[in-house]
Amino acid sequence: MKKLTDKRTKISNNKINILTKFPENEDFEIVVVGAGISGAVIAERCARILRKKVLVIEKRYHIGGNCYDHFDKKGILIHKYGPHLFHTNYENVWKYVKKFSEWCKYEHKVLSYVDKKLVPIPVNINTVNILFGEHIKSENEMKKWLEKKIIPITNSKNSEESAISRVGKELYEKMFKFYTKKQWNLWPSELDASVMNRIPVRTNYEDRYFTDKYQFLPKDSYTKMFNNLLAHPNIKVLLNTDYFKVRKKLKKAKYLFYTGQIDRFFNYRTEKGRERLPYRSLRFKFKTYNKKYFQKNSVINYPEKKPSFTRIVEYKHFTKQKHPKTTISREFSKSKGEPYYPVPNPKNKEIFERFKKQVDKLKNVFFVGRLANYQYFNIDQTIKNALDLFKEFKKNIKE
Ligand code: UDP
C-alpha cells in the first residue's frame, strides 16, 4: 500500500477538538447530531469544503458510531459493535475514504455451522457438496441441482420467498430460516425480500462474502479513520450529550443534520398518534482465550435453532493481528438497546412514511444515514448517502 501523500498526511495530522462542556458562548452555523459514519462525513465536508463551523453532538462516549473499534484489555483490536467490513463498487466512496486512512486488503469469508459441518456461506458448489454429499464439479451441474430444488417465484414478496426461489426449501431450512428468526425475532416471511437478497447464491466456487471491487479495512483502526475525518479546526465534538437535552440551546444554528432514529426526533408522534419504529439491537459476549486462534475464520455463523447466538466473530483475523491470545464475541440479537438495524417490512415502511411526511415539512433540517432514513445501509451506502446529500446541500446554499 502506497504511503499517504503529503496532502493526505496533513489531514490526518490535525487534532480532533473534543469539548469538555457545552459551548455556551459559541455559535455554530451547522449542528450535526451523531458522530457515526453519516455525521462524520457531513461534518468533514461542511467544515472543509464550505468552511463552516460545525458542532457534532454525540450521545456516546466515543466517535465512530457502530464502527467504533478499540484495543481490549489484552491489546487485541476488537469491534465493539460487531464486525464491520468495508466493501464497495462506488469509485467516489473509495476515493473519499482513502484520504482518511491507509487501508489493507481484506476479503471477507464466512463459514456456517450446519449439521455439525462447516460450510461456505453464501451457498456455493462446496456448500452443496459438503451438506448433501454431492459431487458437483461445474457451474452447469450446480445450476441443474438448484433448478431441481427451487420453487420458482418471480418478484419475491418476502425473505422466505427470496430464499426458496434461489436455494430451495432444504437449504432455506438449514441455513436461513432460524438464523433469521434469531436475528430479527421474525420469520423470513415477515421481512422484506431485500433482507435475504443481501446474501447471493453462487453457482461456482466463489467463497468470498462480497465480490465488490474494493474490499479493505483501515490499517490502524476505524476509530483512527473517524478521528482523521473529524480532525478539522472548524469541527468541535461534544461527546456524552443527548441532543434532545440541549436542542433548546442550539436555536441559532442555521442547519441541522440529524443521524439518529427518525421516530425519536418527532417524539414518536405522527398524524396517527404515538408510534414507534422497531430497531433491532445486539448483545455481544466477548471472551479472550489463551490460545493463538479460536476458529479458522473471522466469522462463523450458527443458523440452527440452537445455540441462541447467531455468529462468533474472531477479531484477530481481520487485520492479521499477531498476539499470543485471541478475543472472540458471540452475538445475540435483542429488541431493546442501542439501535443497529431498521426492520424492513411493509408495516414499518408505512410507519416510516408517516414520519417522513413530517421531515419533508422541515426547512434546513436533513435526515441522513441508516437510522434517520430507516434503511439497511452498508458502510459504503451510508457514506454515499452522506456525500450525495452534501452535494445537494452545497448546491442549494450557493443558489
Ligand atoms: N442470513 C441468514 N443466514 C446466514 C446469514 C444471513 O439467514 O447465515 C440472513 C439473515 O436474515 C440476516 C440477513 O441474511 O439478517 C443479512 O445477512 P448479513 O450477513 O448481510 O447481515 P449483517 O452482517 O448486516 O448483520
Side-chain angles (χ1 to χ4, degrees), residues 2 322 335 357:
K2 266 203 313 208
K322 298 214 171 0
S335 58
K357 257 197 220 166

Side-chain angles (χ1 to χ4, degrees), residues 146 165 227 232 240 303 352:
L146 284 171
S165 64
N227 204 89
H232 189 280
N240 303 307
F352 170 76

Side-chain angles (χ1 to χ4, degrees), residues 175-176 179-180 183-184 198-199 209 301 311 341 376:
M175 300 185 74
F176 300 103
Y179 186 104
T180 302
Q183 168 72 11
W184 302 91
R198 292 171 61 85
I199 316 294
Y209 209 62
N301 286 357
R311 53 189 175 189
Y341 301 89
Y376 193 167

Side-chain angles (χ1 to χ4, degrees), residues 170-207:
E170 273 169 287
L171 277 172
Y172 164 68
E173 298 269 345
K174 285 181 191 294
M175 300 185 74
F176 300 103
K177 186 174 173 181
F178 294 102
Y179 186 104
T180 302
K181 178 73 166 103
K182 290 195 288 188
Q183 168 72 11
W184 302 91
N185 196 25
L186 291 174
W187 295 109
S189 57
E190 300 170 295
L191 282 165
D192 280 0
S194 62
V195 175
M196 201 60 80
N197 289 346
R198 292 171 61 85
I199 316 294
V201 177
R202 310 261 169 70
T203 49
N204 52 20
Y205 291 96
E206 174 65 80
D207 63 350

Side-chain angles (χ1 to χ4, degrees), residues 33 57 59 241-248 250 258 260-268:
V33 181
I57 299 179
K59 202 166 65 177
T241 305
D242 182 349
Y243 162 71
F244 296 101
K245 298 215 167 108
V246 294
R247 84 200 286 192
K248 280 202 189 104
L250 293 162
Y258 177 78
Q261 294 160 247
I262 184 170
D263 52 350
R264 171 76 183 91
F265 189 88
F266 297 103
N267 213 4
Y268 310 107

